[in-house]
Amino acid sequence: MTLTQLGAFVLVARLGSVKEAARALNVSEPAVSQALAALRQHLGDPLLVRGPGGMTLTEGGARLLPIASQMVVLGAEAEGAVRAARGAPEALRVVAVPAIAEFVATPLLDAFAARSSRPVEGSAGVVAGREMPVLLHNRLADVALGPHLADDPGLVSEPVYRTALVAVGGGAAGTVPAPRPLWLVDPSGTDPGSETARLLRRLKVPEDRIRVYPNQTAAWAAAADGDGLAIALAHLVAPRVQRGELHVIATPATPLEIRWHATTLAPDRRPPLAGVFRRFLATAEALHLMRSPGSGVPPSRFRPPVYVTIWS
């Protein structure tokens, strides 16, 4: 029985599917399935069975889950202790919704590391909002940037930035979009709990009129080429609007005001570095970076949000 197997089991149990667990861990679905199969064989119990609503726990799985969660947390703490003992930089793992990961997370981590009095090794990864509590509770992430998660009593979710979603398109200013345009979105459009998905529902956009792009930058480029309307964060797309590459298109549901939140474990369980980073997010330097971070970071440069080494 290994931490690899226990971590796979915990995420599949908490998220309800192998696919979502693999996405949260930034590994392939076969890697998760193999780890889960090895644990099942070792313990002689299916642990999880597939039902109409997804994966459900057996009696043995239900008893294992809280123990496995504790072991995964202890594994993260053990790795941190050994890193500290050998003088390695302290790890700070940030997970974020796609737009924040694309534009903001890396500049924030770079600035935080530069001003820190001790060496820090930061990493940023993209996850859906519903995956964030699972990663935080199991110490697979230290800070989550995105939606408000305060419904969970073990988490502290605080607003750090206010912005708005708008619709943008190419062509001349004042151009009226087609009656049934395509809507161009980043991967958050596939997350039912995201602000982007909420906006699409308010606009009553049918699924066949939605096109998902790897990131906001790609969706904006397609909108500038006339392929449809893109959903964008107003302050991030503003430079392209000012240059005339894109134009804000009025809709009945936009602008839609949203807030970015920083979420961590409660103070008594929170890693100290996560608390320091949270305080950094309230500084003028961090606010400036969230307002004007520069161009986006391609997803290929995103570093995974968890310990990929446990899968080797």
Side-chain angles (χ1 to χ4, degrees):
M1 182 162 41
T2 67
L3 285 174
T4 299
Q5 297 161 11
L6 293 170
F9 164 71
V10 168
L11 287 186
V12 174
R14 299 294 192 196
L15 297 174
S17 77
V18 169
K19 181 178 180 179
E20 291 196 25
R23 182 174 62 184
L25 285 167
N26 198 36
V27 299
S28 67
E29 290 183 46
V32 174
S33 296
Q34 290 165 15
L36 190 56
L39 185 63
R40 284 166 162 162
Q41 183 176 9
H42 178 79
L43 295 175
D45 189 290
L47 302 177
L48 290 152
V49 294
R50 192 177 302 279
M55 304 292 281
T56 57
L57 291 163
T58 65
E59 177 64 25
R63 295 190 182 194
L64 173 63
L65 183 57
I67 300 170
S69 294
Q70 291 177 30
M71 294 174 74
V72 171
V73 170
L74 288 172
E77 293 177 354
E79 180 163 338
V82 173
R83 287 175 65 94
R86 58 187 174 86
E90 192 169 357
L92 178 66
R93 300 170 302 271
V94 173
V95 291
V97 294
I100 296 178
E102 181 182 350
F103 289 93
V104 173
T106 297
L108 285 173
L109 283 168
D110 288 346
F112 177 70
R115 65 180 289 175
S116 176
S117 59
R118 52 190 170 178
V120 174
E121 184 178 277
S123 62
V126 186
V127 299
R130 68 180 298 268
E131 297 165 356
M132 290 177 172
V134 178
L135 294 173
L136 289 168
H137 279 301
N138 289 282
R139 293 294 300 276
L140 297 173
D142 302 308
V143 181
L145 298 177
H148 186 241
L149 303 176
D151 291 341
D152 189 317
L155 301 177
V156 177
S157 195
E158 302 169 294
V160 293
Y161 193 78
R162 184 171 62 186
T163 183
L165 290 176
V166 296
V168 294
T175 300
V176 178
R180 296 184 71 247
L182 291 176
W183 286 84
L184 319 176
V185 299
D186 69 12
S188 65
T190 64
D191 176 7
S194 71
E195 300 289 359
T196 298
R198 181 160 68 96
L199 176 57
L200 291 171
R201 289 193 295 270
R202 289 182 61 179
L203 290 168
K204 300 180 179 178
V205 178
E207 192 171 329
D208 64 355
R209 306 304 297 173
I210 300 171
R211 298 293 181 270
V212 181
Y213 287 79
N215 49 47
Q216 287 219 348
T217 302
W220 299 347
D225 289 339
D227 294 345
L229 299 182
I231 294 177
L233 287 157
H235 73 290
L236 296 180
V237 80
R240 298 183 182 227
V241 172
Q242 292 166 2
R243 293 195 297 266
E245 300 170 12
L246 291 164
H247 302 283
V248 176
I249 306 297
T251 78
T254 56
L256 175 65
E257 184 176 301
I258 64 171
R259 291 177 184 266
W260 289 347
H261 291 76
T263 304
T264 63
L265 293 171
D268 60 326
R269 297 180 57 223
R270 181 167 57 203
L273 191 61
V276 178
F277 183 70
R278 171 61 191 91
R279 291 191 292 274
F280 165 72
L281 293 177
T283 66
E285 180 180 8
L287 291 172
H288 174 73
L289 287 172
M290 285 186 273
R291 185 181 306 113
S292 304
S295 59
V297 179
S300 61
R301 289 184 54 198
F302 290 159
R303 300 177 62 183
V306 297
Y307 299 123
V308 187
T309 51
I310 67 174
W311 298 95
S312 60

